[in-house]
Amino acid sequence: MTALLEVHDLQTKFFTVDGVVNAVNGISYSVARGECLAIVGESGSGKTVGVLSILQLIQSPPGRIVGGSIAFKGKDLLSLSPRALRAIRGNEISFISQDPMTSLNPVMRIGAQITESLTAHQGLTRNQARTRAAELLGMVGIPNPASRLNDYPHQFSGGMRQRVMIAMALACSPELVIADEPTTALDVTIQAQIVELIKRLQAEFGTAVIWISHDLGVVARLADRVAVMYAGYIVEHAPVDELYARPAHPYTRGLLNSLPRLDSREKTKLQAIRGLPPNLVGPVRGCPFSPRCAYVTERCRVDNPPLADIVADHSVACWNYQLVQPEARP
């Protein structure tokens, strides 16, 4: 498949009074048209900073993209002028945040917030934009969409607000949607509805999706490929079925072992990953996961392994991945 988005060696740092925070440390991946790439990892692993860098939404100062390239349809986004980048944001690439209550303007009616991008990017009149906005609300499952255009965000439930955010993201028929943990604050029933909605809209419009999450259960149902991030690095990258069946990095296996199992008749305790993530202020020596790893060797403490292919379409950054796979899931 032809790559719609190509991120190569992206590096983003925050220059603070306490030192330089190495938030994203040379990550590379691509997203094809109509594909869903999931980026997973615990809080602080660099998932959100990495995708915000695509649209240059990092607060500066203190944040700054210091290296790498981001190509969207062959255009280097990092070299575009602010005006050219604004024409892409919300139009060709849209963003769904994890907290719609803080992303939606509480003093603006929902209709005004959805029509804003339609009038700015699509050149629609106010009436045309409102008609399109009502269609979008109906498409994402909000009843009586035309009348709900006049409501404020606080008049919607959490699940409804997230549906409004999805409608806003899809307003201009973008080619790429970036969803930053959009189901985090929702109960499991609403989570399932949102995931099914994204899958249906993706199939209908052929939209590519980058799905940021720490919920591997949701990822298993939605993603085509998965990139696992830890301490600002991508430590494993594989198709979703391959990753879940044969995790090769100790951190990936730890994430999977922390999930409840429905395919086992025996009662087993969930396995927590011992220790804490590293402090990203200043350089990290060796593999960043080595202080928490059960397979650590002296080489791990000195040299940080590169992300390398172990089989076709499956890459891992680990010196001892052969020791991990024998304990992989069936």
PDB file of all heavy atoms in Angstrom, residues 159 163 183 186-196 221:
ATOM      1  N   GLY A 159     -20.276  10.283  26.271  1.00  0.00           N
ATOM      2  CA  GLY A 159     -20.236   9.561  25.009  1.00  0.00           C
ATOM      3  C   GLY A 159     -20.716  10.402  23.843  1.00  0.00           C
ATOM      4  O   GLY A 159     -20.157  10.348  22.740  1.00  0.00           O
ATOM      5  N   ARG A 163     -18.785  11.724  20.414  1.00  0.00           N
ATOM      6  CA  ARG A 163     -19.342  11.597  19.073  1.00  0.00           C
ATOM      7  C   ARG A 163     -19.331  12.940  18.337  1.00  0.00           C
ATOM      8  O   ARG A 163     -19.095  12.994  17.126  1.00  0.00           O
ATOM      9  CB  ARG A 163     -20.772  11.053  19.143  1.00  0.00           C
ATOM     10  CG  ARG A 163     -20.840   9.591  19.565  1.00  0.00           C
ATOM     11  CD  ARG A 163     -22.283   9.164  19.834  1.00  0.00           C
ATOM     12  NE  ARG A 163     -22.332   7.810  20.356  1.00  0.00           N
ATOM     13  CZ  ARG A 163     -22.487   6.723  19.610  1.00  0.00           C
ATOM     14  NH1 ARG A 163     -22.599   6.837  18.305  1.00  0.00           N
ATOM     15  NH2 ARG A 163     -22.526   5.527  20.163  1.00  0.00           N
ATOM     16  N   THR A 183     -11.372   7.010  23.914  1.00  0.00           N
ATOM     17  CA  THR A 183     -12.326   6.248  24.727  1.00  0.00           C
ATOM     18  C   THR A 183     -11.896   6.135  26.182  1.00  0.00           C
ATOM     19  O   THR A 183     -12.516   5.398  26.952  1.00  0.00           O
ATOM     20  CB  THR A 183     -12.505   4.829  24.155  1.00  0.00           C
ATOM     21  OG1 THR A 183     -11.251   4.135  24.170  1.00  0.00           O
ATOM     22  CG2 THR A 183     -13.022   4.875  22.723  1.00  0.00           C
ATOM     23  N   LEU A 186     -14.569   6.925  28.980  1.00  0.00           N
ATOM     24  CA  LEU A 186     -15.906   6.385  28.733  1.00  0.00           C
ATOM     25  C   LEU A 186     -16.044   4.990  29.316  1.00  0.00           C
ATOM     26  O   LEU A 186     -15.065   4.251  29.432  1.00  0.00           O
ATOM     27  CB  LEU A 186     -16.168   6.347  27.221  1.00  0.00           C
ATOM     28  CG  LEU A 186     -15.957   7.669  26.461  1.00  0.00           C
ATOM     29  CD1 LEU A 186     -16.199   7.464  24.982  1.00  0.00           C
ATOM     30  CD2 LEU A 186     -16.867   8.759  27.011  1.00  0.00           C
ATOM     31  N   ASP A 187     -17.280   4.601  29.653  1.00  0.00           N
ATOM     32  CA  ASP A 187     -17.487   3.244  30.143  1.00  0.00           C
ATOM     33  C   ASP A 187     -17.382   2.257  28.983  1.00  0.00           C
ATOM     34  O   ASP A 187     -17.389   2.640  27.807  1.00  0.00           O
ATOM     35  CB  ASP A 187     -18.838   3.122  30.858  1.00  0.00           C
ATOM     36  CG  ASP A 187     -20.026   3.413  29.952  1.00  0.00           C
ATOM     37  OD1 ASP A 187     -20.169   2.712  28.930  1.00  0.00           O
ATOM     38  OD2 ASP A 187     -20.805   4.325  30.250  1.00  0.00           O
ATOM     39  N   VAL A 188     -17.294   0.965  29.311  1.00  0.00           N
ATOM     40  CA  VAL A 188     -16.952  -0.026  28.293  1.00  0.00           C
ATOM     41  C   VAL A 188     -18.022  -0.136  27.203  1.00  0.00           C
ATOM     42  O   VAL A 188     -17.698  -0.423  26.042  1.00  0.00           O
ATOM     43  CB  VAL A 188     -16.707  -1.408  28.945  1.00  0.00           C
ATOM     44  CG1 VAL A 188     -15.430  -1.388  29.760  1.00  0.00           C
ATOM     45  CG2 VAL A 188     -17.890  -1.839  29.805  1.00  0.00           C
ATOM     46  N   THR A 189     -19.281   0.083  27.555  1.00  0.00           N
ATOM     47  CA  THR A 189     -20.343   0.009  26.550  1.00  0.00           C
ATOM     48  C   THR A 189     -20.189   1.120  25.518  1.00  0.00           C
ATOM     49  O   THR A 189     -20.264   0.884  24.300  1.00  0.00           O
ATOM     50  CB  THR A 189     -21.724   0.108  27.219  1.00  0.00           C
ATOM     51  OG1 THR A 189     -21.858  -0.922  28.193  1.00  0.00           O
ATOM     52  CG2 THR A 189     -22.829  -0.030  26.186  1.00  0.00           C
ATOM     53  N   ILE A 190     -19.942   2.334  26.003  1.00  0.00           N
ATOM     54  CA  ILE A 190     -19.749   3.471  25.089  1.00  0.00           C
ATOM     55  C   ILE A 190     -18.442   3.303  24.319  1.00  0.00           C
ATOM     56  O   ILE A 190     -18.360   3.650  23.134  1.00  0.00           O
ATOM     57  CB  ILE A 190     -19.765   4.803  25.860  1.00  0.00           C
ATOM     58  CG1 ILE A 190     -21.067   4.942  26.653  1.00  0.00           C
ATOM     59  CG2 ILE A 190     -19.616   5.973  24.899  1.00  0.00           C
ATOM     60  CD1 ILE A 190     -22.310   4.899  25.797  1.00  0.00           C
ATOM     61  N   GLN A 191     -17.405   2.760  24.973  1.00  0.00           N
ATOM     62  CA  GLN A 191     -16.148   2.485  24.273  1.00  0.00           C
ATOM     63  C   GLN A 191     -16.396   1.612  23.056  1.00  0.00           C
ATOM     64  O   GLN A 191     -15.902   1.893  21.955  1.00  0.00           O
ATOM     65  CB  GLN A 191     -15.165   1.775  25.209  1.00  0.00           C
ATOM     66  CG  GLN A 191     -14.434   2.669  26.166  1.00  0.00           C
ATOM     67  CD  GLN A 191     -13.381   1.910  26.944  1.00  0.00           C
ATOM     68  OE1 GLN A 191     -13.043   0.779  26.622  1.00  0.00           O
ATOM     69  NE2 GLN A 191     -12.857   2.533  27.985  1.00  0.00           N
ATOM     70  N   ALA A 192     -17.146   0.532  23.251  1.00  0.00           N
ATOM     71  CA  ALA A 192     -17.421  -0.389  22.154  1.00  0.00           C
ATOM     72  C   ALA A 192     -18.173   0.311  21.029  1.00  0.00           C
ATOM     73  O   ALA A 192     -17.890   0.088  19.839  1.00  0.00           O
ATOM     74  CB  ALA A 192     -18.218  -1.580  22.663  1.00  0.00           C
ATOM     75  N   GLN A 193     -19.109   1.186  21.377  1.00  0.00           N
ATOM     76  CA  GLN A 193     -19.860   1.909  20.358  1.00  0.00           C
ATOM     77  C   GLN A 193     -18.964   2.850  19.563  1.00  0.00           C
ATOM     78  O   GLN A 193     -19.085   2.953  18.336  1.00  0.00           O
ATOM     79  CB  GLN A 193     -20.998   2.691  21.016  1.00  0.00           C
ATOM     80  CG  GLN A 193     -22.081   1.818  21.627  1.00  0.00           C
ATOM     81  CD  GLN A 193     -23.128   2.628  22.382  1.00  0.00           C
ATOM     82  OE1 GLN A 193     -23.079   3.849  22.405  1.00  0.00           O
ATOM     83  NE2 GLN A 193     -24.081   1.944  23.005  1.00  0.00           N
ATOM     84  N   ILE A 194     -18.056   3.535  20.253  1.00  0.00           N
ATOM     85  CA  ILE A 194     -17.143   4.460  19.572  1.00  0.00           C
ATOM     86  C   ILE A 194     -16.202   3.703  18.641  1.00  0.00           C
ATOM     87  O   ILE A 194     -15.949   4.122  17.503  1.00  0.00           O
ATOM     88  CB  ILE A 194     -16.339   5.283  20.607  1.00  0.00           C
ATOM     89  CG1 ILE A 194     -17.276   6.197  21.413  1.00  0.00           C
ATOM     90  CG2 ILE A 194     -15.258   6.102  19.916  1.00  0.00           C
ATOM     91  CD1 ILE A 194     -17.999   7.243  20.615  1.00  0.00           C
ATOM     92  N   VAL A 195     -15.677   2.562  19.107  1.00  0.00           N
ATOM     93  CA  VAL A 195     -14.775   1.758  18.274  1.00  0.00           C
ATOM     94  C   VAL A 195     -15.499   1.269  17.021  1.00  0.00           C
ATOM     95  O   VAL A 195     -14.954   1.340  15.900  1.00  0.00           O
ATOM     96  CB  VAL A 195     -14.203   0.569  19.073  1.00  0.00           C
ATOM     97  CG1 VAL A 195     -13.480  -0.405  18.153  1.00  0.00           C
ATOM     98  CG2 VAL A 195     -13.247   1.069  20.143  1.00  0.00           C
ATOM     99  N   GLU A 196     -16.709   0.768  17.183  1.00  0.00           N
ATOM    100  CA  GLU A 196     -17.472   0.297  16.032  1.00  0.00           C
ATOM    101  C   GLU A 196     -17.804   1.449  15.085  1.00  0.00           C
ATOM    102  O   GLU A 196     -17.812   1.279  13.855  1.00  0.00           O
ATOM    103  CB  GLU A 196     -18.765  -0.390  16.500  1.00  0.00           C
ATOM    104  CG  GLU A 196     -18.538  -1.701  17.211  1.00  0.00           C
ATOM    105  CD  GLU A 196     -17.714  -2.683  16.391  1.00  0.00           C
ATOM    106  OE1 GLU A 196     -18.006  -2.834  15.175  1.00  0.00           O
ATOM    107  OE2 GLU A 196     -16.766  -3.271  16.936  1.00  0.00           O
ATOM    108  N   ARG A 221      -9.235  -4.844  18.524  1.00  0.00           N
ATOM    109  CA  ARG A 221     -10.446  -4.834  17.714  1.00  0.00           C
ATOM    110  C   ARG A 221     -10.373  -3.852  16.555  1.00  0.00           C
ATOM    111  O   ARG A 221     -11.182  -3.941  15.627  1.00  0.00           O
ATOM    112  CB  ARG A 221     -11.655  -4.487  18.582  1.00  0.00           C
ATOM    113  CG  ARG A 221     -11.915  -5.468  19.704  1.00  0.00           C
ATOM    114  CD  ARG A 221     -12.955  -4.944  20.671  1.00  0.00           C
ATOM    115  NE  ARG A 221     -14.175  -4.548  19.984  1.00  0.00           N
ATOM    116  CZ  ARG A 221     -15.137  -3.829  20.551  1.00  0.00           C
ATOM    117  NH1 ARG A 221     -14.982  -3.392  21.787  1.00  0.00           N
ATOM    118  NH2 ARG A 221     -16.227  -3.520  19.880  1.00  0.00           N
TER     119      ARG A 221
END
